[in-house]
Amino acid sequence: MSNRQPLVAANWKMNGSRESVAALLDGFRQGLPADGVDVLVCAPSIYIPLAADELAGSNIGLGAQTVSEYANGAYTGEISADMLKDYGCRYVIIGHSERRHIFAETNETVANKFCHAREQGLEVILCLGERLEEREAGMTEQVLSEQLEAVIARAGIAAFDGAVIAYEPVWAIGTGLTATPEQAQAAHSFIRLQVARHDDRIADELRILYGGSVKADNAAGLFAMADVDGGLIGGASLKVDDFLAICRAAG
Ligand code: PGA
């Protein structure tokens, strides 16, 4: 029996304004359950300083949505792990499907980013997930395994000690089509078994979040599954009441 503490992470994507960031974080701070669930917010980079101020003294963690694979230097437009840490940002999402598919991040780029973030002491949420045509072709496990093994090969299994994985079927992101609890459980247990082939203890302690149209009314069913340790929440994290209800369902 594992004692993995549930984690709920907000992924605001490219949404918000100074006003909405302050209002959302104020609402989260006031309404969050005191214990039983870890909560963090992954804000657009430019709002990280504001979010850090708003979250000072609260137990809500702060994360970024991506990070450069490089250390500080001549990389126009990039934001480094050092810069994120400078603002009290402890977490970073790596390999979100929007980064993979819209911004052409390959398994190799994702692995480089994961390695660099870990070496710099950031906590990572590594996203894995298949596209609809891959699921329909029966390739879900193959895709998940390739995405995962590319990172393990580059970073080593020890880098997964304390890391977080998010299973996000691409067909469920922002579409309103949620994976059923059984579909999520099957993918999560597959991912945990893959990690266990390298290290049993790390696999047992690994938190695996589900992401893809998690809402207040479907969260409890997903979180009840044995290998679902919380969620990565997009659209519903932009509404205070919906996000708080999802946090309560996890806790
Ligand atoms: P969604 O996004 O909850 O809006 O489907 C989840 C994600 O992309 O992390």
Side-chain angles (χ1 to χ4, degrees):
M1 185 67 191
S2 101
N3 47 8
R4 299 184 294 268
Q5 164 103 338
L7 169 65
V8 176
N11 174 13
W12 283 347
K13 310 192 179 186
M14 197 172 73
N15 291 295
S17 61
R18 281 190 289 174
E19 200 183 332
S20 73
V21 166
L24 279 169
L25 293 180
D26 191 46
F28 291 179
R29 284 183 66 154
Q30 290 189 32
L32 266 190
D35 47 24
V37 56
D38 294 335
V39 175
L40 74 105
V41 173
C42 297
S45 309
I46 198 165
Y47 294 123
I48 281 174
L50 172 61
D53 286 348
E54 293 284 336
L55 293 175
S58 86
N59 49 16
I60 302 175
L62 179 58
Q65 299 170 10
T66 184
V67 66
S68 179
E69 65 192 281
Y70 303 110
N72 292 355
Y75 301 101
T76 302
E78 290 284 273
I79 292 181
S80 72
D82 263 350
M83 294 171 184
L84 295 179
K85 287 190 297 181
D86 203 16
Y87 274 97
C89 189
R90 275 184 44 217
Y91 292 83
V92 63
I93 298 172
I94 304 273
H96 190 279
S97 62
E98 286 150 16
R99 303 288 327 165
R100 292 177 188 263
H101 301 312
I102 304 173
F103 300 101
E105 287 188 9
T106 60
N107 278 341
E108 193 191 353
T109 320
V110 170
N112 288 343
K113 289 188 173 199
F114 182 99
C115 266
H116 185 62
R118 290 305 268 161
E119 281 161 13
Q120 297 301 312
L122 288 172
E123 308 283 340
V124 293
I125 301 175
L126 172 67
C127 298
L128 312 174
E130 81 287 2
R131 305 170 103 159
L132 183 59
E133 57 271 30
E134 292 164 338
R135 171 164 285 264
E136 286 173 349
M139 289 169 58
T140 299
E141 293 190 347
Q142 185 188 326
V143 171
L144 295 177
S145 158
E146 281 169 9
Q147 291 175 340
L148 179 63
E149 293 299 334
V151 181
I152 296 177
R154 171 84 175 78
I157 195 64
F160 282 75
D161 201 356
V164 175
I165 288 181
Y167 168 62
E168 297 208 308
V170 180
W171 47 272
I173 297 179
T175 57
L177 283 177
T178 319
T180 63
E182 293 71 26
Q183 283 173 321
Q185 170 60 25
H188 285 224
S189 101
F190 174 76
I191 291 167
R192 199 180 303 287
L193 278 171
Q194 290 294 110
V195 175
R197 290 172 53 211
H198 299 270
D199 190 303
D200 273 333
R201 180 191 60 79
I202 290 175
D204 187 50
E205 293 176 4
L206 182 72
R207 289 191 285 189
I208 307 180
L209 313 183
Y210 169 79
S213 298
V214 178
K215 305 289 176 214
D217 60 4
N218 61 23
L222 288 158
F223 298 163
M225 305 311 283
D227 287 293
V228 179
D229 305 310
L232 181 56
I233 319 299
S237 72
L238 295 165
K239 294 183 193 125
V240 172
D241 291 347
D242 291 9
F243 187 66
L244 291 176
I246 292 168
C247 292
R248 279 193 296 274

